[in-house]
Amino acid sequence: MIKELKTLIAVAREGTFAAAGNKIGLTQAAVSAQMQRLETELGFEIFDRKGRSAHLNKMGQQILLQAQELLRLYESLGSTTVGQPQSVLVNIGAIASVQRSYLPDALAKFHQQCPQCRTRVIPGLSMELVNLVDAGEIDMAAIIRPPFSLQSDLRWTTLALEPYRLIVPRDVPGEDWSKLLCSQPFIRYDRSSFGGRQVDRFLRQMHFSVQDVCELDELEAIVKLVENGVGVALVPQTTPNPEWPVGVRALDLGVHTFHRDIGLIHRSRRSFTESVRTLAELIIDQFKSGA
């Protein structure tokens, strides 16, 4: 089952069976077969499947956490640290764009300041990570702000407001973003994600009719599709001074610009342990310094 658990973690990290397969050298069919085999072994489903998409359900999120811990123990077999005192573990969830941008530097500073601590980063979509914080499975999560009111015992700390841009292939002429949006094939940010719902609401509020050609959640994949000339897309600018690929140009939406609110969801700071408080402050500082 170790092989299947490693594949499960890859699926959670990459977001789709296909992306996970590309990452670990398997076909999408092989990944799907492994996940079905894992569900058979467990005796229950760990994915909510809708069409071609599959997202971890509540049981799947719990299995993911247990899988990560099990693999950590498996990989430490024979280690000389057996019998030594347990170090403090901080669990933090993070969407993919945060993992690739601000989180690594914050984690590096945290481990310099708190060498006795361990961290575990749990990947996932914002909704999945909200549930894990709410269930007390993780200490906090860096996510897109939910479009609904949080439970009374949860708190929100804004880290950044990321403006949406229309990105187009560089060889597609024109500067009028609204005309390009309505005339070119449209690559849609997955509507099952909070960010994708923002795009969908914007299109409906502006009464735009777009020509959907593809829908997916991974922002890097969306940018790559635009670079390859598949169509145009509305995506958040995840850093203040982004380096778009040479085959892509980004257009400002002007007065119609809307933003993706990135922040930390957590319980009351009074309930933070010292190590959790330290990591939260370092993440906040990292976003401030990058603004």
Side-chain angles (χ1 to χ4, degrees):
M1 189 182 285
I2 293 295
K3 177 174 62 176
E4 286 79 9
L5 294 179
K6 288 182 177 179
T7 301
L8 171 64
I9 292 171
V11 170
R13 183 177 295 117
E14 300 302 321
T16 65
F17 287 2
N22 289 335
K23 191 73 173 181
I24 61 179
L26 294 176
T27 64
Q28 180 177 348
V31 172
S32 180
Q34 284 195 19
M35 294 303 92
Q36 289 176 353
R37 188 158 58 245
L38 179 59
E39 288 178 320
T40 300
E41 290 286 335
L42 294 171
F44 51 81
E45 293 185 350
I46 59 176
F47 290 95
D48 287 331
R49 294 175 171 84
K50 184 177 181 182
R52 295 186 178 182
S53 65
H55 300 297
L56 286 172
N57 58 28
K58 192 168 184 178
M59 287 299 297
Q61 293 161 10
Q62 293 178 8
I63 294 300
L64 173 63
L65 292 174
Q66 294 170 338
Q68 290 176 317
E69 182 64 17
L70 181 61
L71 286 175
R72 184 190 67 79
L73 293 171
Y74 176 77
E75 291 168 358
S76 67
L77 288 175
S79 170
T80 57
T81 61
V82 174
Q84 294 182 4
Q86 280 279 350
S87 57
V88 176
L89 175 64
V90 178
N91 294 299
I92 177 170
I95 58 174
S97 61
V98 173
Q99 289 190 56
R100 295 190 179 102
S101 55
Y102 298 100
L103 187 58
D105 288 338
L107 287 173
K109 292 177 181 178
F110 175 75
H111 286 291
Q112 290 170 0
Q113 293 184 24
C114 306
Q116 78 284 5
C117 293
R118 294 183 295 119
T119 54
R120 180 171 56 178
V121 179
I122 291 83
L125 298 177
S126 294
M127 187 69 245
E128 298 168 351
L129 298 175
V130 169
N131 290 335
L132 290 177
V133 174
D134 184 42
E137 299 286 347
I138 59 178
D139 298 299
M140 57 187 163
I143 64 170
I144 305 168
R145 184 165 194 160
F148 50 77
S149 297
L150 297 174
Q151 293 89 331
S152 60
D153 58 339
L154 295 181
R155 302 290 182 270
W156 178 262
T157 300
T158 293
L159 297 172
L161 292 176
E162 300 175 342
Y164 277 81
R165 308 291 189 217
L166 182 72
I167 57 173
V168 303
R170 188 164 294 278
D171 59 359
V172 172
E175 297 298 326
D176 187 326
W177 64 268
S178 60
K179 288 184 179 179
L180 289 169
L181 179 58
C182 295
S183 65
Q184 297 293 316
F186 184 62
I187 303 166
R188 186 182 285 271
Y189 191 178
D190 184 10
R191 282 167 285 199
S192 67
S193 69
F194 292 159
R197 293 184 205 175
Q198 283 185 285
V199 170
D200 189 57
R201 282 196 298 272
F202 172 75
L203 294 174
R204 286 188 280 108
Q205 289 167 0
M206 295 292 291
H207 304 290
F208 285 138
S209 178
V210 296
Q211 308 166 35
D212 285 352
V213 66
C214 184
E215 181 170 351
L216 65 164
D217 177 66
E218 178 52 56
L219 292 178
E220 285 192 1
I222 293 174
V223 174
K224 189 69 174 178
L225 287 172
V226 173
E227 184 181 21
N228 288 334
V230 175
V232 302
L234 285 166
V235 296
Q237 179 180 299
T238 57
T239 57
N241 300 298
E243 294 184 3
W244 300 103
V246 293
V248 171
R249 57 193 184 96
L251 300 180
D252 194 301
L253 305 184
V255 296
H256 296 292
T257 298
F258 59 109
H259 297 79
R260 188 173 77 158
D261 187 353
I262 299 295
L264 282 178
I265 186 169
H266 52 84
R267 298 188 180 279
S268 169
R269 289 182 179 234
R270 292 193 298 273
S271 66
F272 277 3
T273 63
E274 187 61 34
S275 54
V276 172
R277 181 178 294 105
T278 298
L279 179 55
E281 290 173 351
L282 287 171
I283 293 172
I284 293 169
D285 289 345
Q286 195 63 44
F287 271 85
K288 287 180 178 178
S289 65

